[in-house]
Amino acid sequence: MEPQPKRLKGSQFATDAWVAYPVLSEEQSQEVELMEAFAVPIVNKKETSRLVRELNSLYPLNDLQHLKRVRACKEKGSPHPLEVLVCLVSEAPHMKLLSLHSLLPSGDVRHDGLGDPFVVRVPARPPLTRPQFELASKHWPTSFHEDKQVTVALRGELFSSPQKAAMHMYMMSAIAAAKAGGEMGMEVVGAVVVNPETQTVIAMGHDCRGDHPLHHAVIVCIDLVARSQGGGFYSFDRYPACRFTSEASDTLENVADAERRSQPYICTGYDLYVTREPCVMCAMALLHSRIGRVFYGTTSADGALGTKFKIHSQRDLNHRFEVYKGVLSNQCENLMRSGDNIQRLQEHS
Amino acid sequence: MGTQGGREATSAENFCPCDDDIEKWMAKAFDMAREALENGEVPVGCLMVYNDEVVGKGRNEVNETKNATRHAEMVALDQLLDWCHRSKQDVQSVCEQSALYVTVEPCIMCAAALRLLNVPVVVFGCRNERFGGCGSVLDVSSADLPQTGATFKCVSGHRAEEAVEMLKSFYKQENPNGDSSFLLSLFFCLPILHHLFLSQDLAAIFKRSCPLAPLTKSHQTWYPGSLEGVHFPLGPFKSAILDFELICIMTI
């Protein structure tokens, strides 16, 4: 019995069917960490500016610049209009009995207009994203220097329709390469390297680990890019779907080209589209090559751009790049599933 | 000699080089590194040894291939694979009985490649603070990555000072012109200048253009928190300062 030909779900250019979300750094995506602090109600509003001045000299908020000193009590019927932050609990550890006198020696801060101190939980670090800011502000008012691009990206609205159409097209090429590799018995993974400035595909390739255990699709593409610039080490000529184009051949020699060649790293400013999240080796290979941005379709169990590690935003490493996931996610997931099926068939036969 | 990282003894139990082997092969790796240094190349020496035989030998080939993944370890692994094909040996079983001897800790990429091939032991000289994948930046050698081959054992610290010295003298001769020290000192002042005069975030520029990790780090420590928010509007000079910074970043 012949297997039914697979039908593509939705139209080929249904760019509405997927959303590219950013893979943010650990710091940007982690939960809001809280610390305990002492606060005091301000009963008499008129004393506020004096209290803030005196508290700032007694307990400066050195490492907590993101915290507002005073917050308004929003609940109706609150006995006092404002509350002021005194210090972290860790800064005053010898407090046996919590009282205004033990917390604020009256020589430094006059107690006029203050109520009884209490413990609050405040955000330990400045919020980096809008979701973090919104969570942090629930605990204590926090200042936030918003990165508008991150906010828009988190909403999945960073890319315009024409940009999404181009991304769609590039990922379709990666999927086509993956399928070609799959037909040759390789793992069904494909990748495409694009120069976003000239909108040209520099290299496309697929997994070749059947012939070389380290020739993952990304590694193949990096060597093809090197070949497009007169370097490269391997020959992938026997794989028709592993190709490269030299940019210089079809564009006139111009200043930008000359600049690009003088750059020491081959993938500077380039985008990579890959059907599934790269492994540790491939992610670090992209970092060494100074890739500009990476777009992947679906996550993988040992992935190093979001799942197990975030190499693109790893502290101590000397290059950072943007990563987006979810481009043509359904098709890329189907690809992985079809890969599993092929493997199972091969194992049975 | 420190033998750290013996935590995963089970997988490497049946295969671990003795001290004499380590001495012998590391001496060879250091000879290679010294030779590279004398030829003005990155002083890293690297050997894959199987059954008391060198089956792979690598040196950094990044510049000639324009391929930033051609580290010495990757070259040596390719040679090991070629050797297997030539002598009709099974790749998997050769790798499982091979050790890598290298003068500097393998980077994150190479560590992952060694895992993918199930190489059980890596002996290295000094740590690689910038890229190290055996504990310095990430610990790929022991991380929980079930689909990335097997964890491997690290034997570190063998003639570490010597390896560091070679790297230092290589990077000294890399930068022979005297101007760079002047630029370098300017460079270290830039974050302060920048913070005083511009509101734009220099960190973003650094992230994109700075090729050297230590400089990025120093930039972070040079940001005095008390200056946060101080801002002098400079109008037309703003772009001039930015350009100047970029020139300095590019030149060094």
Side-chain angles (χ1 to χ4, degrees):
Chain A
M1 198 168 55
E2 269 195 13
Q4 290 282 311
K6 244 210 199 97
R7 235 171 263 141
L8 271 177
K9 275 175 198 153
S11 117
Q12 200 170 330
F13 293 99
T15 49
D16 294 339
W18 55 269
V19 181
Y21 288 108
V23 181
L24 298 177
S25 67
E26 200 58 47
E27 296 81 34
Q28 286 170 309
S29 36
Q30 69 193 358
E31 303 268 300
V32 173
E33 194 190 312
L34 298 171
M35 291 165 101
E36 287 197 324
F38 291 119
V40 185
I42 299 180
V43 184
N44 184 354
K45 232 176 173 175
K46 286 180 186 149
E47 302 286 342
T48 308
S49 63
R50 172 190 61 82
L51 283 166
V52 167
R53 200 174 54 242
E54 287 175 355
L55 277 170
N56 274 345
S57 64
L58 183 64
Y59 288 118
L61 293 175
N62 284 334
D63 299 327
L64 301 165
Q65 298 288 336
H66 57 284
L67 295 177
K68 305 259 166 83
R69 190 107 218 180
V70 179
R71 76 169 170 192
C73 295
K74 284 180 196 115
E75 303 111 67
K76 275 178 190 163
S78 167
H80 48 268
L82 300 168
E83 286 166 350
V84 63
L85 211 57
V86 178
C87 65
L88 290 178
V89 170
S90 59
E91 280 179 281
H94 305 302
M95 198 94 40
K96 283 218 178 87
L97 195 76
L98 181 56
S99 75
L100 209 50
H101 282 282
S102 56
L103 202 58
L104 299 171
S106 46
D108 297 316
V109 177
R110 273 196 295 130
H111 293 173
D112 302 4
L114 286 177
D116 287 330
F118 58 95
V119 175
V120 280
R121 294 180 10 111
V122 297
R125 274 185 303 267
L128 301 170
T129 63
R130 184 150 277 279
Q132 280 184 345
F133 169 62
E134 280 162 6
L135 280 173
S137 300
K138 282 184 186 159
H139 298 276
W140 191 270
T142 307
S143 57
F144 174 44
H145 302 288
E146 184 166 18
D147 183 334
K148 286 272 161 51
Q149 185 175 315
V150 170
T151 306
V152 176
L154 279 172
R155 285 205 303 262
E157 293 167 1
L158 186 61
F159 302 104
S160 66
S161 294
Q163 281 172 326
K164 276 189 83 176
M167 289 157 72
H168 195 100
M169 189 180 72
Y170 296 136
M171 192 58 95
M172 286 304 284
S173 307
I175 290 172
K179 286 179 178 164
E183 278 164 19
M184 296 179 83
M186 309 296 173
E187 284 213 22
V188 194
V189 186
V192 171
V193 177
V194 176
N195 181 350
E197 264 173 46
T198 58
Q199 299 190 352
T200 40
V201 172
I202 308 294
M204 69 184 279
H206 56 72
D207 183 278
C208 297
R209 75 184 79 174
D211 295 328
H212 185 305
L214 300 180
H215 282 173
H216 297 185
V218 169
I219 299 288
V220 170
C221 274
I222 288 174
D223 200 64
L224 289 169
V225 174
R227 280 190 70 189
S228 79
Q229 294 173 19
F233 179 75
Y234 303 102
S235 167
F236 297 105
D237 295 346
R238 64 185 178 283
Y239 310 109
C242 295
R243 295 194 294 263
F244 64 91
T245 27
S246 303
E247 277 200 284
S249 63
D250 54 325
T251 51
L252 279 172
E253 189 86 7
N254 58 32
V255 185
D257 278 348
E259 257 175 32
R260 149 155 289 285
R261 253 193 297 284
S262 71
Q263 279 170 347
Y265 302 106
I266 54 158
C267 291
T268 303
Y270 285 170
D271 292 344
L272 175 93
Y273 292 81
V274 58
T275 52
R276 75 171 186 213
E277 184 185 357
C279 72
V280 178
M281 174 182 71
C282 293
M284 193 62 190
L286 290 166
L287 186 135
H288 284 314
S289 308
R290 302 295 199 276
I291 195 78
R293 296 184 296 182
V294 172
F295 299 87
Y296 62 80
T298 174
T299 56
S300 57
D302 277 4
L305 297 180
T307 303
K308 282 288 165 78
F309 297 109
K310 288 173 175 167
I311 290 204
H312 61 292
S313 63
Q314 172 73 36
R315 215 185 287 167
D316 300 335
L317 288 178
N318 63 346
H319 174 66
R320 290 185 171 212
F321 51 93
E322 290 171 21
V323 175
Y324 298 90
K325 65 176 176 187
V327 180
L328 277 167
S329 49
N330 283 338
Q331 284 91 327
C332 290
E333 265 163 42
N334 288 340
L335 212 55
M336 272 171 82
R337 248 173 262 143
S338 72
D340 289 347
N341 290 340
I342 290 170
Q343 264 188 347
R344 237 171 277 139
L345 280 174
Q346 280 170 344
E347 277 162 22
H348 282 295
S349 62
Chain B
M1 173 176 47
T3 48
Q4 292 171 8
R7 68 220 159 252
E8 265 290 319
T10 41
S11 65
E13 212 164 29
N14 47 356
F15 179 79
C16 188
C18 65
D19 283 359
D20 286 348
D21 277 351
I22 291 177
E23 198 75 38
K24 177 171 93 181
W25 297 117
M26 282 304 272
K28 279 227 180 339
F30 272 90
D31 287 347
M32 285 175 71
R34 197 158 295 284
E35 202 181 306
L37 181 63
E38 279 157 13
N39 292 322
E41 292 161 7
V42 188
V44 176
C46 166
L47 297 172
M48 288 293 317
V49 177
Y50 168 69
N51 215 355
D52 211 35
E53 185 187 341
V54 176
V55 292
K57 207 173 172 183
R59 58 172 192 84
N60 188 300
E61 291 178 357
V62 168
N63 288 338
E64 58 254 55
T65 59
K66 297 191 180 182
N67 180 337
T69 69
R70 298 301 291 162
H71 288 187
E73 295 91 330
M74 300 296 268
V75 174
L77 285 174
D78 270 350
Q79 291 194 359
L80 174 141
L81 294 171
D82 282 346
W83 182 89
C84 290
H85 292 307
R86 271 201 316 276
S87 52
K88 307 226 163 16
Q89 300 256 17
D90 177 50
V91 172
Q92 170 102 11
S93 60
V94 169
C95 286
E96 282 171 358
Q97 297 287 313
S98 295
L100 174 80
Y101 297 89
V102 58
T103 52
V104 185
E105 176 187 354
C107 82
I108 292 165
M109 172 187 72
C110 295
L114 289 158
R115 271 191 73 143
L116 286 165
L117 290 175
N118 302 306
V119 173
V121 182
V122 172
V123 182
F124 64 85
C126 65
R127 285 157 58 89
N128 178 347
E129 300 291 351
R130 285 175 68 190
F131 301 120
C134 304
S136 292
V137 177
L138 288 179
D139 194 354
V140 177
S141 60
S142 70
D144 173 33
L145 298 165
Q147 295 191 0
T148 312
T151 58
F152 60 82
K153 183 183 155 150
C154 297
V155 181
S156 70
H158 188 90
R159 290 165 71 176
E161 292 82 11
E162 200 180 332
V164 172
E165 277 313 313
M166 278 196 276
L167 285 170
K168 271 190 194 158
S169 50
F170 172 74
Y171 285 109
K172 250 181 243 161
Q173 58 182 340
E174 271 275 89
N175 244 341
N177 66 47
D179 288 352
S180 65
S181 64
F182 165 71
L183 278 171
L184 206 66
S185 57
L186 268 180
F187 186 90
F188 279 101
C189 299
L190 281 173
I192 294 182
L193 277 176
H194 183 103
H195 212 108
L196 280 172
F197 297 121
L198 301 173
S199 56
Q200 211 165 331
D201 185 14
L202 185 62
I205 299 168
F206 267 84
K207 269 181 221 156
R208 271 174 222 130
S209 11
C210 174
L212 296 167
L215 295 182
T216 327
K217 246 189 202 165
S218 66
H219 142 253
Q220 282 160 0
T221 51
W222 274 77
Y223 259 81
S226 55
L227 287 177
E228 204 78 46
V230 179
H231 173 56
F232 300 96
L234 267 191
F237 296 109
K238 188 166 168 169
S239 66
I241 290 181
L242 270 178
D243 285 349
F244 173 67
E245 283 174 354
L246 280 174
I247 289 163
C248 289
I249 291 164
M250 298 304 207
T251 327
I252 297 167

